[in-house]
Amino acid sequence: HAIGKAHASKSGFEGPWTHEPTTLSNEFFKVLWNNDWVETLSPMNRTQFTDKATGTLMMLHTDLEFKTDPEFKSFVEQYKEDNALFLADFAAAWEKLINADRFGC
């Protein structure tokens, strides 16, 4: 969710995860960590969460697990503080993903 937004017509959920949905950065982790989240309903009556401060951002219940799950929480804490680390790890994972079928990995 580092880029883009949810579209109710496609997923049943609505809204961006960040204030800059067209920029790949660690903002998702900052927004997730630094906000309180309120349970709401999407336009399609699906449960989602909006930020308490502005009501303009959204998260799914699975996103909020990143804040509480001990294994995921450590990544959130690292990535929210270090955009370069997030981008480096993202690039390595993306390269592995797009080349997986090419090299039989």
Side-chain angles (χ1 to χ4, degrees):
H1 302 309
I3 193 165
K5 64 173 264 172
H7 301 273
S9 64
K10 304 292 184 205
S11 66
F13 302 103
E14 183 63 40
W17 288 276
T18 70
H19 294 288
E20 297 181 40
T22 60
T23 301
L24 180 62
S25 73
N26 66 340
E27 188 185 1
F28 167 82
F29 299 102
K30 292 178 181 181
V31 166
L32 173 66
W33 191 264
N34 294 327
N35 284 287
D36 293 319
W37 298 94
V38 179
E39 187 174 313
T40 60
L41 291 176
S42 75
M44 304 296 278
N45 289 322
R46 301 203 57 192
T47 300
Q48 65 181 50
F49 297 82
T50 57
D51 67 302
K52 190 174 183 178
T54 70
T56 61
L57 301 174
M58 69 83 71
M59 292 284 168
L60 304 173
H61 68 90
T62 50
D63 299 323
L64 297 181
E65 285 298 311
F66 288 132
K67 288 179 79 168
T68 58
D69 181 88
E71 291 183 49
F72 287 121
K73 184 178 178 179
S74 66
F75 288 101
V76 174
E77 290 173 333
Q78 291 175 62
Y79 291 156
K80 75 180 179 71
E81 297 297 330
D82 192 340
N83 190 50
L85 174 64
F86 166 68
L87 292 175
D89 286 355
F90 181 89
W94 182 255
E95 181 178 22
K96 185 175 181 180
L97 178 67
I98 63 170
N99 288 311
D101 66 338
R102 254 176 85 187
F103 302 108
C105 300

